[in-house]
Every structure is written in structure tokens, then in C-alpha cells.
Amino acid sequence: MRAAVLREYGEPLDVTEVPDPEPDPDGAVVAVEACGICRSDWHAWQGHGEWADDQVPLDYVLGHEPAGRVIGIGDDVDRFSEGDRVVVPFSLGCGVCGECRTGHGNTCEDGHALGFERDVPGAFAEKVGVPHADHNLQTLPAGVSFRDVAAVGCRYMTAFHALAHRADVGGGDWVAVHGCGGVGLSAIQIADALGARPIAVDVNDDALARAADVGASEVVDGSEADVVEEIQDLTDGGAAVSVDALGRAETARNSVRCLRSRGTHVQVGLTTDAERGEIPLPTDWMTRWEIDWLGSRGMPPARFDELLAMVDDGTLDPGALVGREVGLEAVSDRLAAMTTYDTDGIEILTF
Ligand SMILES: [Zn+2]
Ligand SMILES: [Zn+2]
């Protein structure tokens, strides 16, 4: 099969022939129809993560947001057969540990991250292998296209879990979203659909314009305004929920500081080379005002039905966030564009 192979960090991917994946006894092989190109791919491509011992290996295939058709299954797979249309979450669970059995497969004790670890090569390829298929594969409703869910297995589900399950956003809540890349735009659309009032924060005019298009009630240009003051003013005292969708020291602190008393911060973005996994926070102030600080990672496979039902009935429209579709040869160019934040909404690979 053809795949885009990472040979050197930060260098163009090598589009070449590689061996087809074979299904494990309880695994499946999926023919990739669409796969989002995500900032997490960019971090991996740059070689980030060595401080947390999760730098991706070289001679490796990235890509962790696939949707496609099942074309191979192991003998022990019960719930899926060849031809099934599926979406694959990046946060793969084992299906049998305590976390997985209690509906928390995204924090599986023996979990793997698709497209980041040697044992689970990614989906910038014609085919991708998926371990523990019965637990991890999610059936796509008949009326939903592969294109529309190309980022659901990572950015969109992450935003959904953060707002609907972790923070429990309710009608009328002011929800600040810091960073309007793929996961931030997803959070804005989802917050709007949940009846909340999203405030989009970014330093890029195009990103703010797109945020307004997909449901932001207010936009704050961080290159001009004091973000915390502006949000405190707009909301008459602070947001109920705030999401750091970027993972920088400044956005995390702004996100905490823009909350009202008893507000909830959700950390979705992972940090960069500058923070190396740790960000100082105003803990005395958070204690004084009883601020909740929540981490959120992916989404449990067990809760996909909720999200896909809302996509199927039109309540959520992840396809509206897709700004560009490219072929395998152009994936490198779109990763390079992320270096200068020069991307257009959610960009996806299609076959
Ligand atoms: Zn992603
Ligand atoms: Zn598990």
C-alpha cells in the first residue's frame, strides 16, 4: 500500500510503498477514506515529546483521525465485518482493564495512541490496522460521510468529551475557548449546539472569522485586547467554563483567569517545547474562588453513540469545519503550514 513515512523530524514525508497491515486476532484493518491532519501530527513530525518519553519513532507512519471501511478482521472479532463503515478514535483501549470495563477506555491502563507508537502505525496510508476492534471501532451512521467525520476520532470527540462530559456545559453558560484551531473550532460549534454562549479567543483574524461562522457569540482578538479583562467584561463577571485548546502557558493562565467564581477550566491542549509539560497557575486565586481545573483526553469509545447520533440528526456538523482536502503527497505541505498557523479550519487527507 502507499503511505507517507516519517524519515527525519521536520522533513517532508516520504510517500512510498510499504507492506499492508495484517489484523491481529482481535483486530481489524480499515481502508482509509479520510483522515484529519492535526496539530498533534505536527508536534510528532517536529520530534516533540522527548521530555515525556513519547517522541514518535522514525521510519513511521503518522495520522490518527481515520474514517473508512473495514477490509480485514481477525478471527476473534464479533461486532464487525468486512465492508462496515467506521470511525477510529486515536485513544485505543484494551477493552478488558478496569478503566475500559467501566466505560473509561480513553484512560485505559494498557492503552495505545494510534499514529504515535511503534506498535500502532497511523493512517496517512491507504490502510490502517486497529487493535481490539470490538472495543475501539465505531460504526458510522449510514447518512454520515467519511469526510464529515475525518476529525471526529481526535479533535472533535475531544472537544465533545471536554464540554459535554467533563465540564457539563449547560444552556446559557458563557464558554470561553482559547485557541481556534481544529479542537477550538470544534469546541465552539459544540458549545453553541449545547445551548451555551461560546467566546472565541485567537490572535488570527481568519481563525476568528471562522469561529464566528461556526457559532461563536463573541470573538476576542488576543493580539489587541487584554483577553482576561475583555472576557470578564463581556460576561459581566467571568465565563462559567473555559477551555485551553492550545496548551501554552499564556493560554492556560488566561483560561483560568477569565472564569467567574466556581468556574471550570478544562485543559485540552498538550504543552509545547517551551513548557515541557508543566505550567505555573494562580493556585491561591483558584482556591479563593473555588475554581475547578479539569484534564480531558479524547473520549471513551463507550460514549461515541451520543456524539454520532447528534451528527446523524444534524445537531452537530463537524463537516462544516473542514476547510481543505488534500491527497497523500500534500500532507507534508499542510504540516509545514502549521508551523506558521497558516491552515484553513480542519484540513483532511482523502483517498
Ligand atoms: Zn488529532
Ligand atoms: Zn483498557
Coordinates of all heavy atoms in Angstrom, one line a residue, residues 92-101 104-105 107-111 135, ligand 2:
L92 N -6.8 4.4 21.8 CA -7.2 3.0 21.7 C -7.2 2.3 23.0 O -6.1 2.3 23.7 CB -6.3 2.2 20.7 CG -6.3 2.8 19.3 CD1 -5.1 2.2 18.5 CD2 -7.6 2.6 18.6
G93 N -8.3 1.7 23.4 CA -8.3 0.9 24.7 C -8.1 -0.6 24.5 O -8.3 -1.1 23.4
C94 N -7.8 -1.3 25.6 CA -7.6 -2.7 25.5 C -8.9 -3.5 25.6 O -9.0 -4.6 25.2 CB -6.7 -3.2 26.6 SG -7.4 -3.2 28.3
G95 N -9.9 -2.8 26.1 CA -11.3 -3.5 26.2 C -11.5 -4.3 27.4 O -12.6 -4.7 27.7
V96 N -10.4 -4.7 28.2 CA -10.6 -5.6 29.3 C -10.2 -5.1 30.7 O -10.5 -5.7 31.7 CB -9.9 -7.0 29.0 CG1 -10.5 -7.6 27.8 CG2 -8.4 -6.8 28.8
C97 N -9.4 -4.0 30.7 CA -8.9 -3.5 32.0 C -10.1 -2.8 32.8 O -11.2 -2.6 32.3 CB -7.7 -2.5 31.8 SG -8.2 -0.9 31.3
G98 N -9.8 -2.4 34.0 CA -10.8 -1.8 34.8 C -11.3 -0.5 34.2 O -12.6 -0.2 34.3
E99 N -10.5 0.3 33.7 CA -10.9 1.6 33.0 C -11.8 1.3 31.9 O -12.9 1.9 31.7 CB -9.7 2.4 32.6 CG -8.8 2.9 33.7 CD -9.5 4.0 34.5 OE1 -9.6 5.1 34.0 OE2 -10.0 3.6 35.6
C100 N -11.4 0.4 31.0 CA -12.2 0.1 29.8 C -13.6 -0.5 30.2 O -14.6 -0.2 29.6 CB -11.5 -0.9 28.9 SG -10.1 -0.1 28.0
R101 N -13.6 -1.5 31.2 CA -14.8 -2.1 31.6 C -15.8 -1.2 32.2 O -17.0 -1.5 32.3 CB -14.5 -3.4 32.5 CG -14.0 -4.6 31.7 CD -13.9 -5.8 32.5 NE -12.7 -5.8 33.4 CZ -12.8 -5.5 34.7 NH1 -13.9 -5.3 35.3 NH2 -11.7 -5.5 35.4
H104 N -14.4 3.9 30.6 CA -13.4 5.0 30.5 C -12.2 4.5 29.7 O -11.0 4.7 30.0 CB -12.9 5.3 31.9 CG -14.0 5.8 32.9 ND1 -14.5 7.0 32.8 CD2 -14.6 5.1 33.8 CE1 -15.5 7.1 33.7 NE2 -15.6 6.0 34.3
G105 N -12.5 4.0 28.5 CA -11.4 3.5 27.6 C -10.4 4.5 27.2 O -9.3 4.1 26.8
T107 N -8.8 6.4 29.1 CA -7.8 6.4 30.1 C -7.4 4.9 30.4 O -7.0 4.6 31.5 CB -8.2 7.1 31.4 OG1 -9.5 6.6 31.9 CG2 -8.3 8.6 31.2
C108 N -7.5 4.1 29.4 CA -7.1 2.6 29.5 C -5.7 2.5 30.1 O -4.8 3.2 29.8 CB -7.1 2.0 28.1 SG -6.5 0.3 28.1
E109 N -5.6 1.5 31.1 CA -4.3 1.2 31.7 C -3.3 0.7 30.8 O -2.1 0.8 31.0 CB -4.6 0.2 32.9 CG -5.5 0.7 34.0 CD -6.1 -0.4 34.9 OE1 -5.5 -1.5 34.9 OE2 -7.1 -0.1 35.5
D110 N -3.8 0.1 29.7 CA -2.9 -0.5 28.7 C -3.2 0.1 27.3 O -3.1 -0.6 26.3 CB -3.1 -2.1 28.7 CG -2.0 -2.8 27.9 OD1 -0.9 -2.2 27.7 OD2 -2.3 -3.9 27.3
G111 N -3.5 1.4 27.3 CA -4.0 2.0 26.0 C -2.8 2.3 25.1 O -1.7 2.4 25.5
H135 N -13.8 -3.3 20.8 CA -13.9 -2.2 21.7 C -13.7 -0.8 21.1 O -14.3 0.2 21.5 CB -12.8 -2.4 22.8 CG -12.7 -1.3 23.8 ND1 -13.6 -1.2 24.8 CD2 -11.8 -0.3 24.0 CE1 -13.3 -0.1 25.6 NE2 -12.2 0.4 25.1
Ligands
ZN2 ZN -8.1 -0.9 28.9

